[in-house]
Amino acid sequence: MPMHCSANHAQANPVDTAIFFGLSGTGKTTLSADPKRVLIGDDEHGWSDRGTFNFEGGCYAKTINLSAKAEPEIFATTTMFSTVIENMVCDPRTKALDYTDDSLTANMRAAYPLDFISNASDSGLGGHPKNIIMLTCDAFGVLPPVARLTPAQAMYHFLSGFTSKVAGTERGVTEPEPTFSTCFGAPFLPRRPEVYGKLLRSKIASHGANCWLVNTGWTGGAYGKGNRMPITATRALLSAALDGSLNESSFRRDPNFGFEVPNSVPGVESFLLDPRGTWSDGAAYDVAARKLVNMFSDNFEQYLAHVDDEVLAIAIG
């Protein structure tokens, strides 16, 4: 199974592997480069009968507002020999890079070999994913920061591939635009989406992977009114998912999408886990939520004839 995803595994334990699906701007590179885990790869992987493997060999990171404090490993690569810098403004004399100047484009990038990351895997191999993370950047501010998915829900959200294009991901995008890119990587996949959706669901069933939907987009309101999800909260939620403690939380059922949302997670402010409660106007949230649900439904009509009754029930509510 080819996958547009990043992957890592626990230190000294390749069996404890996690994969991160997500389009540009969702945090795939940043969140998978966890210093407490071994980075298998940044962007392209396969999932075979033997486990996970990397077939791309390098990393491609956004550098707009890149911080040495928040992302020290990635930041360090920007001054290493042979890193390719794209679209960044630099001092003409010293060549010092300006990480805040987006006068050329916000799509500023650094491309570097995988081994520039100190905790990168030597083999590019991992086990069967124990955790599957689907990253989305919700510009509506509707989705919770994390949700637990059943295998059928995972197939539904995998086929939907919802996110928001953010400034710097494509030419002409100056503010977030909702989009659906099936399997979180439609341009990379030559066969019909249902082939990959069914394959993912089959592999989840065979290997018992936990599936999580993680929203790195907006909270407290839509883009322009709310705020971007705090990366510290996202990292804490991911840590809890990967170490297994998140599964021990109590969960509530989301009224809009039916997935499970934790009621509390250590290190995360509880109010963030209830997106409606972060809005000053609950009725406005309900309107935005219904709009997003309808967008999902409209997009999924193309797959209705190709999924089983369990996924169909999720699609039609």
Side-chain angles (χ1 to χ4, degrees):
M1 179 179 177
M3 304 178 294
H4 178 227
C5 71
S6 56
N8 64 27
H9 67 71
Q11 295 283 358
N13 186 11
V15 174
D16 185 358
T17 294
I19 58 176
F20 299 76
F21 289 106
L23 298 171
S24 180
T26 58
K28 183 161 49 52
T29 297
T30 298
L31 296 171
S32 61
D34 183 340
K36 298 188 296 295
R37 295 175 65 86
V38 176
L39 180 66
I40 300 172
D42 177 64
D43 204 53
E44 305 290 345
H45 293 80
W47 186 354
S48 73
D49 291 339
R50 294 192 300 168
T52 309
F53 61 95
N54 174 265
F55 55 76
E56 152 252 6
C59 301
Y60 192 50
K62 289 173 69 68
T63 55
I64 181 70
N65 297 320
L66 187 64
S67 163
K69 181 178 180 180
E71 300 171 76
E73 291 256 34
I74 296 174
F75 186 89
T77 68
T78 61
T79 56
M80 293 182 180
F81 180 75
S82 83
T83 291
V84 177
I85 298 296
E86 298 180 1
N87 301 327
M88 291 189 72
V89 174
C90 67
D91 185 287
R93 184 176 62 82
T94 66
K95 307 302 180 185
L97 297 168
D98 189 332
Y99 298 87
T100 62
D101 189 336
D102 62 356
S103 58
L104 297 176
T105 173
N107 193 14
M108 300 153 54
R109 298 276 184 164
Y112 48 91
L114 188 60
D115 60 13
F116 277 16
I117 300 298
S118 63
N119 60 325
S121 167
D122 293 329
S123 67
L125 299 174
H128 295 290
K130 184 178 178 181
N131 287 282
I132 295 172
I133 314 296
M134 297 184 185
L135 298 168
T136 182
C137 174
D138 173 23
F140 288 102
V142 168
L143 295 175
V146 69
R148 184 168 63 183
L149 306 177
T150 66
Q153 289 170 336
M155 182 175 175
Y156 176 76
H157 285 277
F158 185 61
L159 288 175
S160 297
F162 169 73
T163 193
S164 301
K165 297 176 184 177
V166 295
T169 57
E170 291 185 16
R171 181 177 296 173
V173 176
T174 57
E175 59 183 51
E177 298 177 2
T179 187
F180 293 86
S181 181
T182 187
C183 306
F184 296 98
F188 306 105
L189 304 176
R191 305 184 71 182
R192 280 200 58 85
E194 301 85 15
V195 173
Y196 305 103
K198 292 175 181 177
L199 192 54
L200 179 72
R201 188 176 179 185
S202 173
K203 286 184 174 292
I204 290 171
S206 296
H207 303 289
N210 298 306
C211 300
W212 308 94
L213 183 70
V214 173
N215 174 26
T216 61
W218 272 257
T219 182
Y223 170 80
K225 293 186 178 180
N227 300 299
R228 196 75 190 259
M229 194 71 68
I231 192 169
T232 52
T234 301
R235 289 190 186 279
L237 290 167
L238 280 175
S239 293
L242 298 181
D243 68 19
S245 61
L246 188 54
N247 268 324
E248 305 305 315
S249 302
S250 63
F251 288 80
R252 64 176 178 84
R253 185 176 182 275
D254 181 83
N256 298 304
F257 288 93
F259 43 49
E260 293 183 315
V261 180
N263 292 308
S264 63
V265 178
V268 179
E269 294 179 288
S270 295
F271 78 92
L272 285 173
L273 298 171
D274 177 12
R276 190 178 192 273
T278 65
W279 285 50
S280 59
D281 184 345
Y285 171 86
D286 293 337
V287 171
R290 178 47 49 190
K291 181 179 180 180
L292 183 58
V293 168
N294 289 339
M295 288 179 66
F296 266 84
S297 297
D298 292 345
N299 172 74
F300 208 81
E301 285 184 0
Q302 60 188 306
Y303 307 123
L304 294 181
H306 305 279
V307 297
D308 64 20
D309 290 345
E310 192 175 4
V311 178
L312 187 63
I314 296 168
I316 62 178

